[in-house]
Amino acid sequence: MIIGFLGTGVITEAIIRGLYDAADYDDTILVSKRSTTRSAKLAGDYPKVRVVEDNRQLTKESDWIIVSVLPEQVCDVLSELDCRPEQKIISLAAGVSLEQLHTWAAPATDVIRVIPMPPIEHGLGPVAICPADAGTEALFEKIGTCVAVSDEAQFNLFGAASALMADFFDQVSGVTQWMSEKGLQTSTAARYTTALYHALADLTVRQSAEGLHEMSEACQTPGGLNAQFLARRNKLGTKQSLTEGLDDILARLESATD
Ligand SMILES: NC(=O)c1ccc[n+]([C@@H]2O[C@H](COP(=O)([O-])OP(=O)(O)OC[C@H]3O[C@@H](n4cnc5c(N)ncnc54)[C@H](OP(=O)(O)O)[C@@H]3O)[C@@H](O)[C@H]2O)c1
């Protein structure tokens, strides 16, 4: 099977590297000749990656097309192509609805939305899929944890949660910086904080959905350090800012897909 990527940006590179480096992928991948340095480097690094001159040629040669241009570019890019009825069209574009994709990719009807995350390069992270599709899940399960829903409104919840990345990195770097401002060598501080966040994240994936809600409570000994820290943060509105921030992103995604 041949997969063609329309758009050779950051996330295309992460997926391709994930497939060849972190998984056992062995099929041909075509990339469009945009971001020329990146596409040439991918073709240089992986013998099964081939750069194709233009989008029409890429469409002609591909069994599946992964649309990986910016959301505002999707309409123009897809509309000028002659997709085939049997071709699978997988869009990564945030906020571009299935209805829009069906219109622009017609006569192709096998249209799927996917939200990968950058750690996919290392075979890690959630891959949200809508609607559920066995073929798409089989591909992305090689390099991530697939979560498929058929309802696009539910899919937007994953889109909202995908906006948590910067906040997470801010927290890790904020704690590291706080330690180094208190006199600890930055490399020592970073070694501690990255191991801490990594280990805590690892604990969460070992929990059941119910167990997840008990983890915070379980480490809040009355009068203890964790209880004091969380109480202080909650007093400052941390919990509220989390849900309100997610509500804001969800509203933005929902208005984009109206
Ligand atoms: N980055 C993420 O973590 C992430 C995660 C999930 C979903 N997404 C979605 O994935 C899509 C791509 O994101 P990205 O971060 O990879 O963006 P990006 O790095 O800006 O890549 C966009 C790519 O599209 C290419 N392009 C623009 N117009 C084109 C055209 N007419 N024909 C072919 N290629 C064209 C650009 O080429 P030039 O450089 O030559 O202009 C570039 O290679 C977006 O819709 C985004 O919502 C991204």
Side-chain angles (χ1 to χ4, degrees), residues 2-6 29-33 50-65 77 80-84 87:
I2 297 183
I3 297 177
F5 282 81
L6 281 174
I29 289 179
L30 307 181
V31 292
S32 52
K33 196 183 179 178
R50 183 155 55 82
V51 180
V52 179
E53 204 57 37
D54 62 58
N55 294 344
R56 293 182 83 84
Q57 189 59 30
L58 183 135
T59 306
K60 204 171 165 190
E61 292 189 46
S62 302
D63 300 303
W64 291 12
I65 294 173
V77 168
E80 68 165 30
L81 301 177
D82 295 318
C83 295
R84 298 186 297 279
Q87 230 162 7

Side-chain angles (χ1 to χ4, degrees), residues 76-150:
D76 286 350
V77 168
L78 270 182
S79 302
E80 68 165 30
L81 301 177
D82 295 318
C83 295
R84 298 186 297 279
E86 77 285 2
Q87 230 162 7
K88 193 188 287 295
I89 313 292
I90 298 174
S91 169
L92 311 184
V96 177
S97 70
L98 284 171
E99 191 184 351
Q100 290 171 311
L101 293 165
H102 275 283
T103 304
W104 302 331
T109 55
D110 189 4
V111 175
I112 317 286
R113 290 183 66 188
V114 167
I115 309 171
M117 301 290 287
I120 203 164
E121 177 173 357
H122 306 291
L124 285 172
V127 183
I129 297 175
C130 181
D133 175 66
T136 306
E137 286 176 54
L139 177 73
F140 283 99
E141 196 63 37
K142 294 177 189 297
I143 45 173
T145 303
C146 291
V147 184
V149 290
S150 297

Side-chain angles (χ1 to χ4, degrees), residues 6-12 32-36 38 55 67-71 73-74 77 92-94 114-118 165:
L6 281 174
T8 316
V10 172
I11 201 69
T12 290
S32 52
K33 196 183 179 178
R34 294 287 293 245
S35 304
T36 43
R38 179 177 274 125
N55 294 344
V67 182
S68 193
V69 293
L70 298 177
Q73 298 164 337
V74 177
V77 168
L92 311 184
V114 167
I115 309 171
M117 301 290 287
M165 272 193 315

Side-chain angles (χ1 to χ4, degrees), residues 176-177 179-192:
T176 308
Q177 195 178 341
M179 285 178 166
S180 77
E181 280 167 8
K182 300 278 178 202
L184 197 62
Q185 209 177 26
T186 304
S187 58
T188 309
R191 185 169 161 80
Y192 183 88

